Amino acid sequence: MSSGVYIILIKSNKSIYTTSILQLSIQCYLQQLLCMVSNKMVEVPIFIIFVMVMSCWASVTDAEYMKYKDSKVPINQRIKDLMKRMTLEEKVGQMTQIERSVASTEVIKKYYIGSVLSGGDSVPAKQASAETWVDMVNDFQKGGLATRLGIPIIYGVDAVHGHNIVYKATIFPHNVGLGATRDPALVKKIGSATALEVRATGIQYAFAPCIAVCRDPRWGRCYESYSEDPSVVRAMTEIIPGLQGDIPSTTRKGVPFVAGKEKIAACAKHYLGDGGTTKGINGNNTVVDSHELLSIHMPAYLDSIIKGVSTIMVSYSSWNGVKMHANHSLIAGFLKNKLHFRGFVISDWQGIDQITSPAHLNFTYSIIAGVSAGIDMIMVPYNYTEFIDGLTHLVKNNVILISRINDAVKRILRVKFTMGLFENPLADYSLTKYLGSQEHRELARDAVRKSLVLLKNGKSADKPLLPLSKKANRVLVAGTHADNIGYQCGGWTIKWQGLSGNITAGTTILSGIRNTVNKETQVVFNENPEATFVKARKFSYAVVVVGEPPYAETYGDNLNLTIPEPGPSIITNVCSYVKCVVVVISGRPLVIQPYLDRIDAVVAAWLPGSEGQGVADVLFGDYGFTGKLPLTWFKAVDQLPMNVGDKRYDPLFPFGFGLGTKPSKNI
């Protein structure tokens, strides 16, 4: 009898029930008593045991069943059960996302914070290990679990080309390079690898992919776009099932989906028209009619929703003068009601502040406009109490309807339930082995190979320079970007704006060349050689690697798109005296027409990331050139914007251009 009662008590003491301290004390005492009886330490009349069992059983059965904590219950019922238990303060907390630098277990518990993020270069420590990241995220998570209802937080990060904020993570080519591959299956694999590396640090949510359609390369985020052609961007939304898992065929369209602890919630961004702003100025006005907006900038969002994307981020930009963060018709109306998106909509960094000009001029108005437009989670990284107090006041005074709050919170909870956060809120170290794994680096190297676009090969078609000979006597490698992992990775790498130098693990293009040529071949590196140096050394050929310095967002807006010095001088000093291939490292097409005649071969390598060996693999013929231009390569900036399909289309190299070579491993 005693063992049977013991089993009943243990089964009744699960997390889906709530029991008072008194009830738990009774259970503990009874268990001890039964243990002593079974060991014949005391003799207790059977009727006393029976009375105590019945009393304890009555207490347990009075405990409240927490349906929302029961993983066997359908998600909609769990949401409904949890919603009816929540106070207004708890709901507003769920709508609030704050930066890790101002977050703490106490803050999360006090304000019921729903989400924490790392900004572009916000880390727990310089060169922090995966284990350090896991510990930090778990500490924050304990704050969510310690709240009255135990709602876990979701932690977000800008993992836009791999887990790029984390030291020693695999850095994949930026999206513009992936667009050149025309390989959705490859992009899906990159999504899967990125998900594993993000989970390796305990994080469950990435603000990726950017599915902008870059219509003007002057835009500082153009490298975050796969292409100027919406059909290419649509194909590359295959990264979403890579990040989240393949959505089951039985799932309703528009419902978010995350397939377990090795996948992460994705975020399609930036809704809508961010790649079409006037002069490519970041956050500027996109002046197009509704047909162009829906036919060029919208289709990839429809694909993303069909593939179960969990969240969508709103753009800083405007459409015909209306800020997207305040555009009710496109967020609540089109995205939610017409496309039936059932995940949550998140603002950009301090995005509602920018509804007014200057930013934060009237924050009360910004809250009203942003939340009423349909934004569910508000990224208020630092001044979160101002937002929480403001939104709570507005709801209590019926300025913002509680029905709008309920819609937002249901969507946030749907994503959290779907991804299993309630069942597995805390991370362990079991996935740390995936951070920067060799398998992922090989995948990134393959992506580099496939992303390279050969624009010119030989001063005449019958005398190609590429592939280069591995058996040359003496080879010159020159240029600012030849031995610089930070430069070849670009922005959003370790730091928000990127950095110069060998800032993380990887292979530079120079080291890739040295690894590839014969042992007898002398590789001479001179970053910025004088013409006299080049003429005197009798080089067989030269590889010149130049391009843009790193940048991100508005800092990358550029109205002239020239290669900065000393890039042009290096091209002149080298290519005037020796056969040369110029490898252009950039997030977009740049002005190269003035130098083209003196260059033998030109390769657009985009921003290849940490695996520079992939560039050498193709230059020396181990693999052929297969990449195709994802963007029109203009002759001069005064032609911009210029896109394939325009009536006046006169490019230096058209969209889709790319010379091919075949592998030749014995040269």
Side-chain angles (χ1 to χ4, degrees):
M1 176 178 174
S2 62
S3 61
V5 174
Y6 186 78
I7 292 170
I8 290 171
L9 291 172
I10 293 300
K11 285 187 175 179
S12 299
N13 191 22
K14 285 192 174 183
S15 62
I16 59 174
Y17 291 89
T18 56
T19 55
S20 67
I21 294 174
L22 176 61
Q23 291 164 349
L24 292 174
S25 298
I26 292 170
Q27 291 178 34
C28 183
Y29 176 74
L30 184 57
Q31 289 169 18
Q32 291 176 344
L33 182 60
L34 290 168
C35 184
M36 288 189 291
V37 169
S38 65
N39 292 325
K40 298 183 179 181
M41 294 171 62
V42 297
E43 292 185 7
V44 182
I46 193 67
F47 79 91
I48 293 178
I49 296 177
F50 178 77
V51 170
M52 293 186 70
V53 169
M54 291 301 101
S55 175
C56 187
W57 179 249
S59 290
V60 173
T61 54
D62 284 342
E64 184 182 3
Y65 171 58
M66 308 290 278
K67 183 184 288 187
Y68 76 91
K69 290 190 175 183
D70 190 344
S71 61
K72 296 184 177 69
V73 173
I75 286 177
N76 285 340
Q77 292 183 33
R78 297 177 76 183
I79 294 170
K80 185 177 180 180
D81 180 69
L82 181 50
M83 287 290 296
K84 73 181 182 182
R85 303 173 189 275
M86 296 177 72
T87 65
L88 174 60
E89 289 71 22
E90 288 166 331
K91 291 175 180 178
V92 170
Q94 284 301 301
M95 296 175 65
T96 308
Q97 185 181 65
I98 67 174
E99 217 283 323
R100 58 157 294 279
S101 60
V102 298
S104 67
T105 304
E106 293 73 24
V107 165
I108 293 166
K109 181 180 178 181
K110 180 179 180 180
Y111 294 101
Y112 313 103
I113 299 298
S115 183
V116 179
L117 82 150
S118 278
D121 45 24
S122 182
V123 299
K126 186 177 181 181
Q127 298 185 357
S129 67
E131 291 82 1
T132 300
W133 278 94
V134 169
D135 292 343
M136 179 196 70
V137 175
N138 280 348
D139 282 343
F140 290 140
Q141 189 63 277
K142 289 170 185 175
L145 299 179
T147 56
R148 184 178 70 94
L149 295 169
I151 304 174
I153 65 162
I154 184 171
Y155 196 105
V157 67
D158 283 286
V160 298
H161 63 141
H163 200 4
N164 44 261
I165 195 174
V166 177
Y167 182 64
K168 291 188 176 180
T170 308
I171 309 299
F172 293 94
H174 267 298
N175 286 356
V176 65
L178 299 182
T181 70
R182 301 295 203 276
D183 191 341
L186 171 68
V187 170
K188 183 177 181 180
K189 291 178 183 177
I190 289 171
S192 296
T194 300
L196 281 172
E197 297 209 16
V198 171
R199 281 287 194 174
T201 58
I203 297 173
Q204 323 97 345
Y205 177 27
F207 306 125
C210 177
I211 53 172
V213 182
C214 178
R215 305 293 284 178
D216 193 325
R218 291 174 290 187
W219 184 36
R221 303 192 81 148
C222 196
Y223 64 74
E224 295 185 57
S225 167
Y226 293 106
S227 179
E228 72 183 45
D229 185 342
S231 66
V232 174
V233 179
R234 293 183 70 178
M236 296 304 169
T237 60
E238 205 47 24
I239 194 173
I240 291 170
L243 292 165
Q244 297 192 156
D246 290 304
I247 189 167
S249 58
T250 55
T251 303
R252 289 176 57 190
K253 296 296 185 288
V255 178
F257 177 76
V258 180
K261 293 189 289 184
E262 294 187 352
K263 298 295 183 180
I264 58 176
C267 179
K269 65 183 188 182
H270 309 83
Y271 186 85
L272 179 70
D274 52 339
T277 59
T278 301
K279 294 185 178 180
I281 297 172
N282 191 47
N284 203 8
N285 194 21
T286 298
V287 183
V288 294
D289 60 24
S290 58
H291 172 74
E292 187 170 337
L293 185 77
L294 297 179
S295 63
I296 291 177
H297 300 283
M298 183 67 80
Y301 285 94
L302 178 58
D303 290 282
S304 299
I305 292 167
I306 291 171
K307 292 174 182 178
V309 72
S310 295
T311 74
I312 290 176
M313 183 181 289
V314 182
S315 175
Y316 287 129
S317 59
S318 304
W319 177 46
N320 293 339
V322 178
K323 283 282 187 181
M324 281 305 310
H325 274 75
N327 197 316
H328 179 273
S329 64
L330 281 175
I331 300 173
F334 198 88
L335 183 61
K336 290 183 174 181
N337 295 333
K338 191 172 182 65
L339 298 185
H340 304 293
F341 173 61
R342 297 185 68 200
F344 69 79
V345 177
I346 186 169
S347 80
D348 207 334
W349 178 280
Q350 297 178 329
I352 65 169
D353 300 53
Q354 298 191 30
I355 290 172
T356 59
S357 183
H360 207 80
L361 177 67
N362 184 339
F363 195 58
T364 298
Y365 171 75
S366 293
I367 295 172
I368 296 169
V371 174
S372 298
I375 302 175
D376 304 310
M377 184 176 283
I378 314 297
M379 198 184 291
V380 278
Y382 305 122
N383 298 325
Y384 56 91
T385 56
E386 181 184 18
F387 169 74
I388 289 170
D389 293 343
L391 180 55
T392 303
H393 175 79
L394 290 166
V395 176
K396 286 182 175 178
N397 287 274
N398 296 316
V399 179
I400 294 177
L401 298 179
I402 190 64
S403 59
R404 171 74 273 271
I405 303 302
N406 288 341
D407 171 63
V409 177
K410 287 177 184 176
R411 291 169 176 275
I412 294 165
L413 293 178
R414 181 176 293 117
V415 171
K416 290 185 176 184
F417 279 125
T418 298
M419 63 194 302
L421 271 183
F422 282 79
E423 288 69 49
N424 297 290
L426 297 172
D428 57 34
Y429 300 151
S430 63
L431 299 179
T432 57
K433 61 186 178 182
Y434 290 111
L435 185 71
S437 71
Q438 188 58 39
E439 181 181 357
H440 293 170
R441 293 191 182 279
E442 289 298 329
L443 177 63
R445 181 174 170 181
D446 187 45
V448 174
R449 297 173 190 135
K450 293 177 178 176
S451 70
L452 303 177
V453 180
L454 182 57
L455 300 177
K456 181 180 179 180
N457 191 14
K459 290 184 177 178
S460 61
D462 59 337
K463 294 183 179 180
L465 178 62
L466 301 175
L468 299 171
S469 172
K470 297 177 184 178
K471 301 174 183 178
N473 182 40
R474 183 182 295 119
V475 174
L476 172 64
V477 179
T480 48
H481 291 56
D483 193 31
N484 195 314
I485 287 178
Y487 274 14
Q488 69 192 40
C489 289
W492 293 110
T493 309
I494 305 300
K495 293 287 188 177
W496 173 41
Q497 292 295 321
L499 290 166
S500 176
N502 294 332
I503 58 175
T504 191
T507 307
T508 67
I509 295 170
L510 172 63
S511 60
I513 292 171
R514 285 176 168 158
N515 292 338
T516 305
V517 297
N518 283 7
K519 292 180 180 180
E520 295 78 16
T521 298
Q522 182 185 5
V523 177
V524 177
F525 175 59
N526 188 326
E527 183 175 307
N528 187 7
E530 297 291 337
T532 52
F533 173 86
V534 178
K535 287 189 288 184
R537 299 297 295 272
K538 296 183 179 179
F539 293 107
S540 303
Y541 56 78
V543 180
V544 177
V545 192
V546 293
E548 297 181 297
Y551 55 82
E553 298 193 56
T554 302
Y555 292 91
D557 292 349
N558 187 330
L559 298 181
N560 62 62
L561 295 179
T562 55
I563 298 173
E565 286 289 352
S569 297
I570 296 170
I571 292 172
T572 299
N573 289 346
V574 174
C575 297
S576 298
Y577 303 103
V578 64
K579 290 182 178 180
C580 75
V581 52
V582 173
V583 179
V584 181
I585 305 295
S586 68
R588 53 201 164 185
L590 299 175
V591 175
I592 62 170
Q593 190 177 32
Y595 326 115
L596 206 53
D597 286 345
R598 67 172 63 100
I599 298 171
D600 293 273
V602 181
V603 176
W606 314 109
L607 297 169
S610 61
E611 306 312 302
Q613 181 68 54
V615 176
D617 290 342
V618 184
L619 289 179
F620 289 91
D622 290 338
Y623 295 82
F625 281 92
T626 58
K628 303 298 179 185
L629 282 181
L631 302 167
T632 296
W633 205 293
F634 56 89
K635 294 176 179 176
V637 290
D638 59 12
Q639 295 177 294
L640 301 176
M642 177 174 59
N643 300 110
V644 63
D646 289 354
K647 291 181 179 178
R648 302 180 70 177
Y649 190 69
D650 183 28
L652 183 62
F653 301 106
F655 169 85
F657 179 83
L659 300 173
T661 62
K662 293 183 179 180
S664 180
K665 298 189 178 184
N666 296 316
I667 58 173

